[in-house]
Amino acid sequence: MAASKEPSANGMIAPHWPRIQAVLRADILYRARQLTDDGAAALFRGIDAGLGWQDGALVMDAWPGEHHDIAVEGRGVTFTPSLFCGHAVTLVDPTLPPRIWYPARGRATVWHAGTTAPPPALADLLGRTRARILAHLAEPCGTSDLAGRLGLSPGTVSQHLGVLHRAGLVTRARHGHTVLYLRSELGDRLAA
């Protein structure tokens, strides 16, 4: 029997699963872009102040007064975004593959669905719905997640995202089966 990717409907997490998944996917996409645009040093610095890239090695300052050298030995290091940690953490066990958990960007948005009100002038220019969508895209987000946050149908959100994309106000990138949208530089300036 194959394991389900989604938590049990009876669980405490199930009602929040779509937003959890969207936040984690958005974080992974953001980090991938940061790595390709700015390099490893900027990526690690952006994840946690205790992480650094020095002389081709990942350095994690997490244990004051302790020093551990962990050889990756071709296994790589897995970085895992989490909603349940406040800083980068790892387990020092040379028998396990190296893994670092770090706080996902936007994790606070999972637990509350507060709305972001657009500036009135932006609503006058774009229309209230498009302005609300643009205001929510400070972090990457998918159509279904936006629809849930805004109380709109996915079809309505999709149509508005298409207009915003054609106008150059949002960018989009595919992550698996999901398309994530994010404000462009022009969209950021307009939403400010």
Side-chain angles (χ1 to χ4, degrees), residues 44-107:
F44 298 131
R45 204 173 34 252
I47 287 175
D48 191 277
L51 289 177
W53 187 250
Q54 296 173 356
D55 301 322
L58 176 62
V59 177
M60 184 172 181
D61 184 17
W63 307 281
E66 290 187 41
H67 180 84
H68 300 274
D69 285 329
I70 301 171
V72 175
E73 298 171 346
R75 298 178 292 170
V77 177
T78 301
F79 283 82
T80 305
S82 173
L83 304 179
F84 306 107
C85 63
H87 58 86
V89 296
T90 191
L91 178 66
V92 178
D93 185 340
T95 65
L96 296 174
R99 179 179 299 264
I100 295 175
W101 292 269
Y102 65 89
R105 291 169 45 93
R107 66 190 184 279

Side-chain angles (χ1 to χ4, degrees), residues 108-176:
T109 65
V110 169
W111 311 118
H112 60 83
T115 59
T116 302
L122 185 62
D124 291 345
L125 178 66
L126 299 177
R128 185 173 176 265
T129 302
R130 286 190 189 126
R132 286 177 63 212
I133 289 170
L134 193 63
H136 274 82
L137 291 174
E139 297 289 334
C141 198
T143 304
S144 296
D145 189 47
L146 275 172
R149 290 181 188 195
L150 298 171
L152 300 169
S153 74
T156 298
V157 171
S158 181
Q159 287 179 337
H160 288 299
L161 285 169
V163 171
L164 293 169
H165 183 259
R166 288 190 300 277
L169 300 178
V170 300
T171 61
R172 61 184 176 201
R174 180 165 294 282
H175 183 77

